[in-house]
Amino acid sequence: MVSLDSLNIVFIKRFSLSEPVFRPNRLKGSILSKPNFNFLSNPEKINQLINKNKRFELKEGWILKPIKNLSMPKDNFWRPFKHEPAPINLTGRKRLPFYPFQIIITDRLEINKSILKNALGSEITDCRVNSQVRIFPPGAGAVHLYLYIKLDKFDLDATNDIFDFKNQIIIRYRDKEVNLFDLFNSIINSVVNEISKENSNREVEGIYTLINFHGNELHVKENLSQLSKILTGKAKPKPEEIEMERNKLLENKLKGHDENDLLAVSKKVSIIYIDQGLKKIHSHIKIQKGRHCFRNHFINAVELAYVTDFLIDDYNRHFNEILDEIKTSSEDKSIHAKLNRLFHANVLDPGAYSTLLYSIRTVPENLHEIPWTYNVYTQAIKEFDISQKLKTNLEITNNLFEEAKKWNVQADMVKNIYNEIKDWVKIVADLKSGK
């Protein structure tokens, strides 16, 4: 049975911003300019801005600030992600924290309600839309579009139409209507133009969707087919795709405060329904606040896994480039000096491995402030199949170790890195297998 009245939808689009880790000299800014975006490559300066809750005007109406004011005692999901001195300083430059900066976009956004009404098969009695950007110093950004819809009637089967992002999600932005892809690309280009000296293609494939249903009743067993269809993240999924999500939903449904709560994570979509559990711990007046708080933490946990999924791919690409350059170097009198520069300047000095090992790898350990978010994160890790990407990373690191050993350049250091990544691969593999 379904008795729902509204929903919050969050669309997330990742993009590449690898300058802080690999090319800090390409960040805009100087001693005389504000903001100077070189701070994104310096953990001490990042900490100063976090401690002061410093904010800048990125461009007219766009405000950049730390995602959380840590002087506020409550609701500190992000506190453990703040930079702390590394137990082992692998490089001249320290690791970059997995602590995002937030860009508040005050541009007016309006969704085409007529198109959305036809897609959802219901009159829309209330609708609100806004957007923000998150910048993660380890090398990525994410654009969020938040959409609240209150409906006259609710048809779960119609929900999949929202995944036709090109035709069904039409936003008025800067005096013209654009689809979701074009909106995200426009925002990404604007952000990169402000932060980086080089505006190349930054788009990362895919859009992740989180749907928070609101209302009196949503029984999973009675609506298993419709919910499984939504978890495919496709407007018109094939029967076998729905069946696959159905099996995973039955096996992997996460626990809430009530047996009728629904917390589900797939590769493209997450679903939240927590109203029954909220009724047990909140008065009716506070349910909306409880939804908002829970949804934010859920988004944070999924997004950390989603961004990690991209970052490991991106780091692998960079490390492979270094490996190729080393292997193709001609053997001459300056080879040892050149290799030393390669290892020091391109692999270790930018803090890439130390960021990978001591910021990205330690995300699960940092989720202790709100323990249930660990379960959400690990479920997302499984869905994104991050273990396979880590195996690729391990192979590349092993090859770098062999080259370092061959030329006797920082071989012990690279070996230690290899062993840590090897341990990480095992931990993630165990998570995937449910150990």
Side-chain angles (χ1 to χ4, degrees):
M1 185 174 179
V2 175
S3 177
L4 302 173
D5 54 51
S6 58
L7 68 162
N8 278 92
I9 307 174
V10 185
F11 303 103
I12 302 174
K13 178 72 173 175
R14 300 169 295 182
F15 62 95
S16 173
L17 193 71
S18 58
E19 280 84 345
V21 184
F22 293 101
R23 295 182 293 272
N25 62 321
R26 296 187 190 176
L27 290 165
K28 282 187 177 180
S30 65
I31 296 173
L32 301 176
S33 67
K34 291 186 179 180
N36 181 340
F37 293 105
N38 286 313
F39 80 84
L40 288 169
S41 65
N42 186 314
E44 280 77 20
K45 290 182 179 178
I46 288 173
N47 265 15
Q48 289 173 14
L49 297 180
I50 293 171
N51 292 337
K52 295 177 181 179
N53 196 34
K54 186 75 174 178
R55 54 181 61 207
F56 304 99
E57 187 172 64
L58 186 71
K59 54 188 292 185
E60 186 177 355
W62 289 30
I63 305 300
L64 182 145
K65 65 185 185 66
I67 196 166
K68 184 68 180 177
N69 181 355
L70 292 183
S71 64
M72 298 176 67
K74 293 183 179 180
D75 189 18
N76 277 322
F77 175 95
W78 291 108
R79 185 183 296 280
F81 292 89
K82 184 181 170 186
H83 168 72
E84 297 294 341
I88 301 172
N89 188 11
L90 290 175
T91 73
R93 291 183 59 223
K94 299 173 184 176
R95 69 182 187 265
L96 297 176
F98 216 169
Y99 191 104
F101 283 75
Q102 182 181 39
I103 300 172
I104 305 298
I105 298 175
T106 58
D107 291 348
R108 183 177 176 81
L109 301 173
E110 293 181 6
I111 193 155
N112 189 313
K113 289 201 292 185
S114 177
I115 291 175
L116 198 58
K117 179 186 77 173
N118 290 334
L120 296 174
S122 171
E123 290 293 331
I124 297 174
T125 58
D126 190 12
C127 187
R128 296 188 292 273
V129 60
N130 59 79
S131 184
Q132 67 162 255
V133 180
R134 293 179 177 184
I135 300 297
F136 295 88
V143 189
H144 292 197
L145 184 76
Y146 301 90
L147 180 59
Y148 169 77
I149 309 168
K150 189 172 180 62
L151 300 168
D152 186 50
K153 60 180 181 178
F154 217 105
D155 180 4
L156 271 183
D157 278 321
T159 306
N160 280 69
D161 282 346
I162 66 170
F163 300 126
D164 181 2
F165 302 131
K166 188 175 181 180
N167 298 306
Q168 305 297 350
I169 307 298
I170 306 299
I171 307 288
R172 175 162 285 278
Y173 175 63
R174 295 180 179 174
D175 297 322
K176 68 176 184 178
E177 287 196 330
V178 294
N179 63 43
L180 188 59
F181 294 110
D182 291 338
L183 173 69
F184 279 158
N185 286 336
S186 179
I187 292 173
I188 290 167
N189 286 334
S190 292
V191 170
V192 173
N193 273 332
E194 296 298 325
I195 293 177
S196 175
K197 297 175 184 177
E198 179 185 294
N199 192 356
S200 55
N201 180 26
R202 304 302 183 107
E203 181 184 3
V204 179
E205 184 179 358
I207 291 174
Y208 198 86
T209 308
L210 183 141
I211 303 174
N212 183 189
F213 291 113
H214 312 153
N216 291 326
E217 288 182 299
L218 176 59
H219 294 296
V220 175
K221 290 182 180 179
E222 294 177 16
N223 300 283
L224 198 55
S225 295
Q226 294 96 322
L227 293 168
S228 302
K229 182 181 175 186
I230 292 168
L231 286 169
T232 66
K234 295 185 177 182
K236 296 179 180 179
K238 298 175 182 177
E240 57 268 27
E241 292 172 325
I242 298 173
E243 182 64 17
M244 183 177 71
E245 293 302 334
R246 179 183 181 278
N247 294 336
K248 288 196 297 181
L249 178 56
L250 289 171
E251 181 181 350
N252 300 325
K253 176 179 176 288
L254 301 172
K255 292 182 179 179
H257 286 292
D258 185 89
E259 63 180 3
N260 291 313
D261 285 351
L262 173 60
L263 307 175
V265 180
S266 79
K267 192 171 185 175
K268 294 185 176 182
V269 181
S270 287
I271 297 176
I272 303 174
Y273 174 71
I274 54 169
D275 283 19
Q276 298 304 317
L278 287 173
K279 288 176 183 177
K280 292 183 174 182
I281 56 176
H282 289 297
S283 66
H284 177 73
I285 297 173
K286 291 185 176 181
I287 283 181
Q288 186 172 349
K289 183 178 180 181
R291 287 173 184 156
H292 177 76
C293 182
F294 188 96
R295 185 170 59 247
N296 279 350
H297 294 325
F298 196 103
I299 291 168
N300 292 342
V302 171
E303 184 174 45
L304 282 167
Y306 196 46
V307 171
T308 295
D309 173 64
F310 159 68
L311 285 176
I312 294 173
D313 266 347
D314 201 38
Y315 281 37
N316 286 348
R317 279 192 292 272
H318 283 282
F319 297 151
N320 254 331
E321 288 173 7
I322 304 305
L323 186 60
D324 289 343
E325 188 173 350
I326 291 170
K327 286 182 175 180
T328 56
S329 296
S330 59
E331 188 171 351
D332 57 32
K333 293 180 181 179
S334 64
I335 186 64
H336 193 277
K338 184 174 183 180
L339 282 168
N340 189 63
R341 286 197 303 273
L342 280 170
F343 275 100
H344 184 67
N346 290 355
V347 179
L348 298 177
D349 188 57
Y353 269 118
S354 55
T355 299
L356 183 68
L357 291 173
Y358 299 121
S359 293
I360 299 172
R361 181 180 64 84
T362 56
V363 168
E365 301 164 24
N366 290 332
L367 295 174
H368 58 77
E369 288 274 338
I370 305 166
W372 62 263
T373 58
Y374 172 85
N375 298 327
V376 176
Y377 174 83
T378 53
Q379 185 59 40
I381 286 286
K382 295 175 189 176
E383 288 293 330
F384 302 143
D385 199 14
I386 288 175
S387 61
Q388 191 57 49
K389 298 181 181 188
L390 282 174
K391 289 176 184 176
T392 300
N393 184 265
L394 185 65
E395 182 181 347
I396 297 168
T397 308
N398 183 54
N399 289 336
L400 281 169
F401 167 61
E402 292 300 324
E403 292 298 324
K405 189 167 59 173
K406 183 189 303 181
W407 297 103
N408 195 27
V409 179
Q410 299 184 345
D412 289 341
M413 190 177 293
V414 180
K415 183 180 180 181
N416 289 336
I417 292 169
Y418 172 81
N419 288 334
E420 292 213 32
I421 294 173
K422 189 175 180 180
D423 289 341
W424 188 11
V425 170
K426 185 180 185 306
I427 290 169
V428 175
D430 287 348
L431 286 175
K432 187 177 179 181
S433 63
K435 293 182 181 178

